Amino acid sequence: MLVYATPDDYADYTRKPAPADIAGELERASERIDELLTVAVYRTDDTGMPIEPDEREALKRATCAQAAWSLAVGDPYGVASAYKDVQIGSVKLGGRADAGGPPRYAQDAVSILRRAGLLPGYVIDGPYW
């Protein structure tokens, strides 16, 4: 699995020290970015990273934005979009959420990818569908 940003990248992006467990957050954020890039077309090197510096930078920044957003909303695993009541400590999930659950993607991440030309359309997420 590709991880598009490092802890140092995250600290640079947020202008704050990276949390101790940021590596795991960046992995999950990279997975969300991969979901957004499902139909994106761009050239990659042998490792799967974009060849163009601007595209590589956009993936890095979008990953940092997604990780920061996930930490800010307190839902790093995206379970709040599936359940009404969520509690991580001692795991308490609750019933299914209505169709208008919280968004899964950071709007800053979507915007960064769109401006870089990596999103061919619009991401409809959360209660707006």
mmCIF file of all heavy atoms in Angstrom, residues 15 50 79 86 92 101 125:
data_model
loop_
_atom_site.group_PDB
_atom_site.id
_atom_site.type_symbol
_atom_site.label_atom_id
_atom_site.label_comp_id
_atom_site.label_asym_id
_atom_site.label_seq_id
_atom_site.Cartn_x
_atom_site.Cartn_y
_atom_site.Cartn_z
ATOM 1 N N ARG A 15 1.515 22.765 10.408
ATOM 2 C CA ARG A 15 2.325 23.715 11.184
ATOM 3 C C ARG A 15 2.233 23.434 12.678
ATOM 4 O O ARG A 15 2.270 24.347 13.508
ATOM 5 C CB ARG A 15 1.929 25.152 10.865
ATOM 6 C CG ARG A 15 2.209 25.516 9.432
ATOM 7 C CD ARG A 15 1.937 26.966 9.146
ATOM 8 N NE ARG A 15 2.301 27.258 7.780
ATOM 9 C CZ ARG A 15 1.439 27.671 6.864
ATOM 10 N NH1 ARG A 15 0.181 27.859 7.175
ATOM 11 N NH2 ARG A 15 1.840 27.915 5.646
ATOM 12 N N PRO A 50 3.059 9.211 -8.337
ATOM 13 C CA PRO A 50 2.991 10.052 -9.535
ATOM 14 C C PRO A 50 4.385 10.521 -9.959
ATOM 15 O O PRO A 50 5.241 10.796 -9.118
ATOM 16 C CB PRO A 50 2.163 11.251 -9.086
ATOM 17 C CG PRO A 50 1.438 10.816 -7.878
ATOM 18 C CD PRO A 50 2.289 9.773 -7.226
ATOM 19 N N VAL A 79 -16.101 5.139 11.087
ATOM 20 C CA VAL A 79 -17.284 4.408 11.551
ATOM 21 C C VAL A 79 -18.459 5.315 11.850
ATOM 22 O O VAL A 79 -19.597 4.860 11.861
ATOM 23 C CB VAL A 79 -16.978 3.516 12.781
ATOM 24 C CG1 VAL A 79 -15.997 2.424 12.424
ATOM 25 C CG2 VAL A 79 -16.472 4.338 13.935
ATOM 26 N N VAL A 86 -21.265 6.385 18.301
ATOM 27 C CA VAL A 86 -19.944 5.782 18.182
ATOM 28 C C VAL A 86 -19.127 6.140 19.411
ATOM 29 O O VAL A 86 -19.147 7.281 19.873
ATOM 30 C CB VAL A 86 -19.206 6.293 16.924
ATOM 31 C CG1 VAL A 86 -17.806 5.732 16.854
ATOM 32 C CG2 VAL A 86 -19.985 5.941 15.679
ATOM 33 N N LYS A 92 -18.463 1.121 21.641
ATOM 34 C CA LYS A 92 -19.924 1.223 21.667
ATOM 35 C C LYS A 92 -20.331 1.803 20.327
ATOM 36 O O LYS A 92 -20.019 2.936 20.021
ATOM 37 C CB LYS A 92 -20.377 2.135 22.803
ATOM 38 C CG LYS A 92 -21.856 2.405 22.808
ATOM 39 C CD LYS A 92 -22.204 3.424 23.865
ATOM 40 C CE LYS A 92 -23.665 3.756 23.793
ATOM 41 N NZ LYS A 92 -24.000 4.887 24.651
ATOM 42 N N GLY A 101 -25.544 10.608 6.906
ATOM 43 C CA GLY A 101 -24.463 10.535 7.874
ATOM 44 C C GLY A 101 -23.336 11.496 7.559
ATOM 45 O O GLY A 101 -23.343 12.176 6.532
ATOM 46 N N ASP A 125 -20.540 13.465 -1.035
ATOM 47 C CA ASP A 125 -20.261 12.746 0.190
ATOM 48 C C ASP A 125 -21.179 13.244 1.297
ATOM 49 O O ASP A 125 -21.521 14.418 1.342
ATOM 50 C CB ASP A 125 -18.786 13.004 0.567
ATOM 51 C CG ASP A 125 -18.305 12.122 1.698
ATOM 52 O OD1 ASP A 125 -18.933 11.104 1.983
ATOM 53 O OD2 ASP A 125 -17.271 12.480 2.297
#
